[in-house]
Amino acid sequence: MAAIDELKHLLNEDLTGLRQLAATLAAEKEALAASDIHTIEALTEDKNALLSQVRERAKQKIHALIAMGYKPENGDPSRFIRSAGIEELTSLWTAAEQELKTCHALNGINSRIVGHLQQRLTRLTDIFRGSAGQAKLYGASGQQTSLGQRNSLASA
């Protein structure tokens, strides 16, 4: 029973942490839209701390699951938890999974925003370099590069 109680406690902490992460990601989206670099830096630190806590709890949850009889080679822990038949544990696990999916979706949105900002910066750099009308090539990473990108903007 101690492992079940520990897992419930960890899942409750996960729910709190993931809700904070979702709020941080939503605030990050607003800061990205406003190009508020100071807020973005602070939110990045908060996000990294929250993610570190989530990772640490994930390790602890695995240990609690193993103590309950879960074998990692048997597949997904969700099935094991559902088969345990403990309604409170199942609902906590499902809620944590849903909150994680929300965080994943918010992070995907922020990632697309950052990608668009990077594209805009690349276009502006091309304009400054005078290579805006030149042909573009694709590099090994799939990024477009201008043929005239070898021109330096400044040197020290």
Side-chain angles (χ1 to χ4, degrees):
M1 271 318 227
I4 293 172
D5 291 336
E6 180 184 356
L7 187 56
K8 287 178 185 178
H9 174 71
L10 290 169
L11 287 169
N12 277 316
E13 286 184 0
D14 261 356
L15 281 171
T16 302
L18 290 169
R19 287 179 182 134
Q20 289 174 344
L21 182 59
T24 301
L25 289 167
E28 182 182 51
K29 177 185 172 192
E30 299 302 319
L32 286 168
S35 298
D36 185 354
I37 191 72
H38 299 294
T39 303
I40 293 170
E41 287 175 351
L43 290 171
T44 300
E45 289 177 19
D46 293 345
K47 185 170 61 169
N48 287 336
L50 289 167
L51 287 171
S52 176
Q53 292 169 5
V54 168
R55 284 186 200 104
E56 186 57 38
R57 276 193 303 275
K59 293 175 189 174
Q60 294 172 355
K61 286 188 295 191
I62 290 295
H63 291 297
L65 283 166
I66 289 172
M68 289 172 55
Y70 169 69
K71 292 178 178 56
E73 62 271 5
N74 289 345
D76 190 21
S78 297
R79 276 191 268 156
F80 174 78
I81 289 173
R82 287 184 186 102
S83 69
I86 304 168
E87 183 58 38
E88 183 183 4
L89 190 60
T90 303
S91 65
L92 283 171
W93 186 270
T94 304
E97 279 183 326
Q98 187 59 43
E99 202 62 43
L100 186 62
K101 288 177 185 176
T102 299
C103 289
H104 184 70
L106 289 169
N107 192 54
I109 291 168
N110 290 353
S111 178
R112 285 192 299 277
I113 291 170
V114 168
H116 290 299
L117 291 172
Q118 287 174 332
Q119 287 176 350
R120 186 168 56 179
L121 179 62
T122 300
R123 281 189 234 119
L124 288 171
T125 303
D126 285 347
I127 290 169
F128 286 138
R129 287 187 174 149
S131 61
Q134 294 183 353
K136 303 210 184 289
L137 298 175
Y138 286 98
S141 64
Q143 296 290 348
Q144 282 187 351
T145 56
S146 295
L147 291 174
Q149 220 172 31
R150 294 178 190 89
N151 303 337
S152 59
L153 290 175
S155 62

